[in-house]
Amino acid sequence: MSEIRRTDWPNAAIRNLAFCGESDRTVTFRNGSNGADVPCRILPGGARPVYAEFVVEEPANAPSTEDALVLVELGNPGAARQQALVPVQLSDGGRGRYAWPVIKGDPPSAAGDRMMTFTSYRVLPGGIVEATVRRLDGGTETRRWRKADGSGNWERF
């Protein structure tokens, strides 16, 4: 089993996950939440990670055979919340988890009572991320993203 698959996601520490609004460079989850006033939850509602090679080329001295795509949700229940798909890669040493730029869901409704949710997601050949989303109006659609540049930014197509 690969090292990334051994991750205890509900209790993971992920570097550079700015989506969660942490002031330091590492978000530490405990029992699936970062414990802050505005919680950031990893794999909410029983979501599962997806594993594939898709983030970037691995360093030759520490090759990784897989990356992970995990769902993270920011916000309090019953208030404005937003979800994001977070690409995670092992650090050069193979021990730390490092987030690349996230794929954000649509912002919540103005009243904060509705939010877009990722209902399923997967990684296609070529590193393309495909997700089925439930929009604010309740309808569903399939969306696709690909890497826009070498920094890991994503573009929808």
Side-chain angles (χ1 to χ4, degrees):
M1 180 184 331
S2 73
E3 186 64 30
I4 195 88
R5 286 181 185 254
R6 291 181 213 165
T7 301
D8 175 13
W9 293 108
N11 296 298
I14 302 176
R15 294 187 58 207
N16 288 354
L17 183 51
F19 175 75
C20 289
E22 300 283 329
S23 59
D24 60 14
R25 296 181 55 86
T26 302
V27 176
T28 302
F29 295 98
R30 294 287 175 254
N31 298 318
S33 178
N34 67 343
D37 290 339
V38 178
C40 199
R41 287 176 294 285
I42 193 165
L43 300 174
R48 300 181 57 88
V50 171
Y51 300 101
E53 271 188 83
F54 68 97
V55 177
V56 295
E57 289 294 321
E58 312 295 344
N61 63 345
S64 175
T65 58
E66 287 184 308
D67 306 303
L69 185 66
V70 295
L71 181 65
V72 173
E73 183 176 283
L74 177 65
N76 287 302
R81 292 176 290 153
Q82 186 175 18
Q83 291 187 340
L85 292 175
V86 180
V88 178
Q89 181 181 50
L90 291 174
S91 64
D92 289 351
R95 300 185 125 192
R97 276 56 180 162
Y98 181 85
W100 285 86
V102 304
I103 298 170
K104 287 184 182 180
D106 299 341
S109 63
D113 58 342
R114 291 184 314 257
M115 65 180 269
M116 189 208 89
T117 56
F118 290 94
T119 59
S120 67
Y121 46 94
R122 64 188 181 145
V123 178
L124 301 173
I128 294 169
V129 173
E130 180 181 80
T132 300
V133 302
R134 183 174 297 115
R135 299 183 312 250
L136 295 180
D137 65 7
T140 60
E141 70 177 310
T142 300
R143 296 182 182 180
R144 290 181 183 87
W145 295 266
R146 63 182 166 215
K147 289 176 271 185
D149 55 37
S151 298
N153 293 307
W154 298 90
E155 66 181 357
R156 190 170 153 198
F157 71 102

